[in-house]
Amino acid sequence: MPTRPAIRALAAGLIATTTLALGACSDDGSSSDKAIRFAVTDLQGLEELQREFGDFADVLAESTGYEIEFFAVGDRTAAAAALEGDQVDLVFTGPAEYVVFHERLDVTPVIGISRQNYASCISTTGNSELASVAELAGKKISMTDVGSTSGHLGPSQILVDNGLEPGEDVEVITAGDAAHEALKRGDVDAAGLRCTDLDDYMEEDGEDAYKLLARGDDLPADLILARNGVDQEVIDTVKPAFEDNWEELLAAMLVGDDNSKYEGATLSLPDDADYDIVRSMYRAIGVDDFTEFVG
């Protein structure tokens, strides 16, 4: 009986010794050389990539007939280099990264994955006297990682929309995963973060523990991108595979702990204009050159 397509792991362009399946078979039962090299920009290391997306890659391999080869990238800059160097075929990435990839590398969006309640929120503590974002003038706000769509760019846009210049009218402290803890400790007056994270904190500590000052616009979808020059057959195969097998692919994705943010996610057909909102967010932090990542 033919075995399902292999998931082979790559790191720094070299195939790892661990093989998760035995290889794709063509209709006549012979071994197939078809493979898709796949990377995810916000995961570091091959082990994490296998843990979070191993089951997902297995389902994608079965539904496309391609082997799925993991290519581990340390960060989005490494992903850009891999795309430019034809070391990877598909990259799963976020809106902020897409804007740069599009500008620099002429990538092709294959499919969008839209998260539920994917937006930026600015909150304060429940007992704070602050009642609006405008009242943050002269105060401190914590955000997550520099360049994060929902944890930095989005909150910065909310400040600008309320007449405040980030870094000038409001002191911005980027604290990564500790952004919310900085608010709880009283180190800052407000926190800017992904709205679903705020929901989690309210569930954990009680809704009265925090107060929402503002919610930004819904953010566009995360994307599966194809590098410039990838075989059109890959795109023409992967896109319908997602559309026809989305429930199974999503269930496999949610096996990974970090992928819980995709609970209830839906597919979308992205248009570049959908990401103009992200370009505006870059401008909110003073960036007009979309060819380089910030942070």
Side-chain angles (χ1 to χ4, degrees):
M1 179 178 180
T3 57
R4 60 190 178 185
I7 303 170
R8 294 184 296 173
L10 278 75
L14 299 177
I15 299 176
T17 57
T18 301
T19 302
L20 303 184
L22 296 178
C25 292
S26 61
D27 292 338
D28 62 4
S30 61
S31 179
S32 170
D33 292 329
K34 293 199 306 181
I36 296 173
R37 299 165 297 174
F38 180 79
V40 180
T41 54
D42 64 350
L43 296 179
Q44 294 187 348
L46 185 58
E47 182 179 349
E48 186 175 12
L49 186 54
Q50 289 175 330
R51 182 178 66 249
E52 295 293 327
F53 281 91
D55 287 7
F56 167 86
D58 197 18
V59 175
L60 185 60
E62 289 186 359
S63 60
T64 61
Y66 282 89
E67 298 179 8
I68 306 301
E69 298 178 349
F70 283 145
F71 191 95
V73 292
D75 53 29
R76 53 198 176 184
T77 301
L83 285 165
E84 194 166 19
D86 294 346
Q87 295 176 299
V88 66
D89 302 306
L90 298 181
V91 172
F92 186 28
T93 195
E97 291 79 12
Y98 163 72
V99 167
V100 177
F101 289 149
H102 171 80
E103 193 75 14
R104 286 176 54 176
L105 303 170
D106 194 25
V107 292
T108 299
V110 178
I111 201 76
I113 299 177
S114 299
R115 306 187 217 171
Q116 286 191 339
N117 196 27
Y118 186 33
S120 299
C121 285
I122 291 181
S123 63
T124 186
T125 55
N127 59 5
S128 171
E129 295 181 357
L130 293 173
S132 68
V133 172
E135 294 176 20
L136 285 172
K139 301 188 181 298
K140 297 179 181 179
I141 183 172
S142 61
M143 299 183 188
T144 63
D145 300 309
V146 175
S148 164
T149 310
S150 59
H152 178 223
L153 301 182
S156 297
Q157 182 69 60
I158 294 174
L159 293 178
V160 170
D161 290 344
N162 284 271
L164 300 175
E165 189 71 22
E168 294 186 11
D169 299 320
V170 184
E171 183 179 352
V172 176
I173 299 172
T174 50
D177 293 339
H180 179 72
E181 289 301 317
L183 175 63
K184 289 183 68 173
R185 290 194 306 266
D187 297 339
V188 295
D189 302 285
L193 67 169
R194 192 169 62 211
C195 293
T196 50
D197 288 340
L198 177 59
D199 290 343
D200 291 342
Y201 295 133
M202 285 184 166
E203 182 176 350
E204 180 181 329
D205 298 331
E207 290 191 9
D208 293 340
Y210 308 106
K211 178 167 47 177
L212 176 66
L213 295 179
R215 182 189 187 278
D217 294 330
D218 288 342
L219 294 166
D222 291 345
L223 293 162
I224 302 287
L225 303 176
R227 66 171 172 81
N228 184 25
V230 77
D231 193 327
Q232 184 63 37
E233 181 186 352
V234 171
I235 298 173
D236 293 341
T237 301
V238 170
K239 181 178 176 181
F242 269 88
E243 294 171 334
D244 296 341
N245 302 278
W246 175 235
E247 288 188 9
E248 188 177 0
L249 284 164
L250 179 59
M253 186 187 301
L254 291 175
V255 171
D257 292 338
D258 188 64
N259 289 335
S260 60
K261 60 191 175 186
Y262 294 106
E263 182 76 41
T266 57
L267 291 183
S268 62
L269 299 177
D271 186 289
D272 181 66
D274 298 338
Y275 296 83
D276 286 343
I277 185 175
V278 182
R279 295 178 176 98
S280 176
M281 291 174 180
Y282 271 116
R283 294 187 184 99
I285 62 170
V287 174
D288 291 308
D289 179 5
F290 305 136
T291 62
E292 299 292 337
F293 297 109
V294 296

